[in-house]
Amino acid sequence: MMKRSDVAWTLVGITAVLLSGYLLYQEIRNISLAELTESLEAISYHNWLLAGLATLGAYVALAWYDRIAIAHLGKKISWWFITLCSFTTYALAHNIGASVFSGALVRYRAYRSKGLTPQEIGVLIVFCSLTFVLGTLLAGGTVLVLRPELLNRVIDAEPWLSIAAGSFLLCLVGLYVIGAWRHFAPLHVGKWRIDYPRLPIVGRQLVAAPLELACAAAIIYFALPAMHNPGYLVILGVFLASFSLALLSHAPGGLGVLEVTFLAALPELNTADVLAALIVFRAFYLLLPFALAILIVTVFEAAQWSGKRRSRSAASDQ
């Protein structure tokens, strides 16, 4: 049975997709398929390669999320298994979006086979989410401080407001580091209790999460034309805003939300060029990993079923 909260968030996601789709249609209704194709063809082979490498970097960093969480729990699981589990989890969660079909189920099935308890898996899932939040705060705060004019792309604000907002985000990260250093009382997220990790673990969190976000934004940056390009930090800032909105909206794959945000925040770029860059992002970061994740889940479940079948056969022979 679906929980009421699951149904509610699913409806929120559908509403977000419909609203974003309408706004997106208003922006692109005058763009022809030929213009979009021309923008895709204008991307050099070199930039296609760089976008592919950035995708690889993003998913390696996501696998690091799980590895850090496993280290925090004091468990030892092979790097290869963690990588496959993390890749599958995020590839499915990024595309499906709704909390009722979150990657938690994939992690549960995978890590239970390695002996982790449901409580430990719950802490692992929350810890990975915490790592992502820390990365968003750190990257977002840094961009707002270094490029205070960025906030004007979304709202009319004075530069000092951007610097103040960025400094506040960085202070939140600083409080987390101090909490780990001074051994503050454990964090409570819902029914889960998370002890502040050791400082070496915190250091890895503060590298892995910004690295993943930086690589994901780089996919779009490399797919955009050099002419009128506002620069990588601006693209990173817009990506952080759009990706956060997409997660909050629960829209599957941020469908429509990413496009509307980028088009609104990058008026100096040709609309077809922005859409082409986002198509590259969706293909590399979302769709291709999604197809591979389905294959991995199928193989894993087939292996699990085959193992249980052999165990039953062996038990019946005895």
Side-chain angles (χ1 to χ4, degrees), residues 5 48 61 63 71 74 82 97 104 140 146 154 162 175 186 209 218 225 239 241 259 261 282 288 304 313:
S5 59
W48 279 103
I82 292 173
L146 294 179
V154 182
S162 176
L175 285 174
F239 175 78
E259 287 77 4
T261 306
R282 288 194 175 280
L288 181 58
Q304 292 289 99
S313 298

Side-chain angles (χ1 to χ4, degrees), residues 121-181:
I121 296 170
V123 171
L124 182 147
I125 292 169
V126 175
F127 194 85
C128 288
S129 298
L130 177 61
T131 299
F132 170 78
V133 171
L134 284 171
T136 304
L137 293 175
L138 181 56
T142 302
V143 170
L144 287 173
V145 170
L146 294 179
R147 297 296 298 268
E149 74 279 4
L150 180 61
L151 202 58
N152 282 324
R153 292 178 176 271
V154 182
I155 60 173
D156 186 17
E158 296 294 330
W160 69 265
L161 182 60
S162 176
I163 295 174
S167 299
F168 175 73
L169 297 181
L170 294 177
C171 285
L172 292 178
V173 176
L175 285 174
Y176 178 75
V177 175
I178 292 172
W181 175 42

